[in-house]
Amino acid sequence: MTQAWRPEGDDDSRRGGAAAIRVRVPAKINLHLGVGPLRPDGYHELNTVYQAISLYDELTARRGDTLALTMEGEGAGELALDESNLVIKAARALAAYAGVPAHARLHLRKQIPLAGGLAGGSADAAATLVACDALWGTGLGRDELAGIAAGLGSDVPFLVHGGTALGTGRGEAVSPVLTKPVSWHWVVAIADGGISTPQAYREIDRLREIGAAPAPLAGTDALLAALRQQDPAVLAAAIGNDLQPAAISIRPALAETLKAGERAGALAGIVSGSGPTCVFLAADADAAAQVAAALDPSVCRLVHTAYGPVPGARIV
Ligand code: C5P
């Protein structure tokens, strides 16, 4: 008896769908994060400019008889893999929307830290939507997937699209920022432990209430103009984050991380999203490598260099 040769993992191809779908998804940073007032629904009105950068998680989806998730890398052993996991929620949301059974074996390889201000969980949810859409042959367009994504978290629609984009509402309403194809070079300094996003938002509300927060950022016009100029020194002067004082108040050591990056030659540094990751803009790839090498392990746990913008969740 002869057996047909099949590539590894292709044992389910006869059931009609693809065998193993691998999706790569980037981290996000906010070049501008303007936080407005707290809304009645518990979210803050945002005015933000997102950028997807080349620090990636990878999600592989295979056919299965139930829904199961395994993981390796950043946060393995710390992150629950049950129904509370945003990956499982994303798979269930897509299955319910498309009217198909939520059956898949999902495996996550994480590089993006948990609760780091880089939208790692949101990235994984976006990757799940793209992977399961291909695995189940539901064939939804990116805009339709972004619609489902909005129900999963404020940053998830952006990570379906990627690139550089303006975010409004609670961050879920994204429109692309069209710029010339220039790459910006970043150094990503990852801290020990995380900061919970709700905690950072509560802290900025508290600091504002007691008059201890700086004036909120103005609109995104200056940042968008700086992006068009394609000059890292100009962009460096325009980046800003209203949540930064909150993150520093929760984790005072971040002030030292920011100073260390600038001492190491970065053009500017900000806390990424709700922190505690700090990101530094460098003049070019060589300068980024130099800043990364000079960042002392005493001020952060791990350093990556990355460039942006890059596309959102994509099959590889
Ligand atoms: O949308 P997501 O689930 O990622 O948000 C997590 C939490 O962050 C929210 O429950 C809320 O406390 C806070 N948040 C906010 N305003 C936003 C986005 C998030 O207050 N625009």
Side-chain angles (χ1 to χ4, degrees):
M1 197 176 94
T2 56
Q3 255 190 329
W5 176 87
R6 283 203 202 96
E8 199 197 344
D10 198 28
D11 50 335
D12 298 309
S13 55
R14 63 191 175 280
R15 290 194 222 168
I21 308 284
R22 198 153 56 91
V23 169
R24 194 167 77 156
V25 67
K28 68 87 195 157
I29 59 175
N30 302 81
L31 307 182
H32 173 109
L33 180 49
V35 177
L38 179 62
R39 311 190 314 196
D41 65 359
Y43 287 90
H44 293 73
E45 197 62 26
L46 298 188
N47 217 338
T48 188
V49 178
Y50 292 111
Q51 183 160 97
I53 61 167
S54 62
L55 173 67
Y56 298 101
D57 281 357
E58 209 178 81
L59 182 101
T60 306
R62 293 185 172 83
R63 290 202 165 256
D65 299 325
T66 57
L67 183 59
L69 173 63
T70 52
M71 75 175 282
E72 64 184 296
E74 276 283 334
E78 292 167 50
L79 190 62
L81 301 175
D82 57 12
E83 297 291 328
S84 67
N85 193 295
L86 209 51
V87 164
I88 298 290
K89 288 183 180 169
R92 292 223 185 273
L94 174 62
Y97 180 90
V100 299
H103 290 173
R105 286 183 289 138
L106 306 173
H107 182 72
L108 186 57
R109 281 179 60 191
K110 277 194 76 60
Q111 233 191 323
I112 310 173
L114 304 184
L118 296 167
S122 302
D124 301 338
T128 305
L129 293 177
V130 170
C132 289
D133 181 52
L135 186 76
W136 298 334
T138 42
L140 304 186
R142 220 155 264 281
D143 286 340
E144 218 168 345
L145 291 178
I148 302 170
L152 295 164
S154 306
D155 294 332
V156 187
F158 170 67
L159 288 153
V160 169
H161 291 294
T164 304
L166 203 56
T168 53
R170 59 183 168 88
E172 89 290 4
V174 287
S175 50
V177 172
L178 298 174
T179 54
K180 297 218 176 85
V182 59
S183 281
W184 304 98
H185 295 276
W186 301 99
V187 178
V188 183
I190 295 171
D192 256 329
I195 291 180
S196 103
T197 306
Q199 188 193 359
Y201 278 101
R202 276 197 305 273
E203 183 63 6
I204 195 61
D205 288 342
R206 188 188 72 82
L207 293 175
R208 284 175 174 175
E209 223 170 276
I210 62 171
L217 291 174
T220 52
D221 288 356
L223 191 278
L224 296 175
L227 277 174
R228 283 192 294 271
Q229 288 192 50
Q230 301 180 52
D231 178 347
V234 173
L235 184 63
I239 59 177
N241 177 4
D242 276 342
L243 285 181
Q244 182 164 307
I248 292 174
S249 167
I250 294 166
R251 193 76 76 83
L254 293 181
E256 183 47 41
T257 308
L258 290 171
K259 276 192 223 134
E262 286 171 17
R263 270 199 310 270
L267 298 174
I270 49 172
V271 169
S272 178
S274 49
T277 303
C278 293
V279 289
F280 300 96
L281 182 61
D284 54 32
D286 287 344
Q290 274 174 34
V291 172
L295 269 179
D296 194 298
S298 69
V299 296
C300 57
R301 170 167 67 88
L302 201 60
V303 184
H304 294 283
T305 57
Y307 57 87
V310 297
R314 292 290 183 275
I315 295 173
V316 289

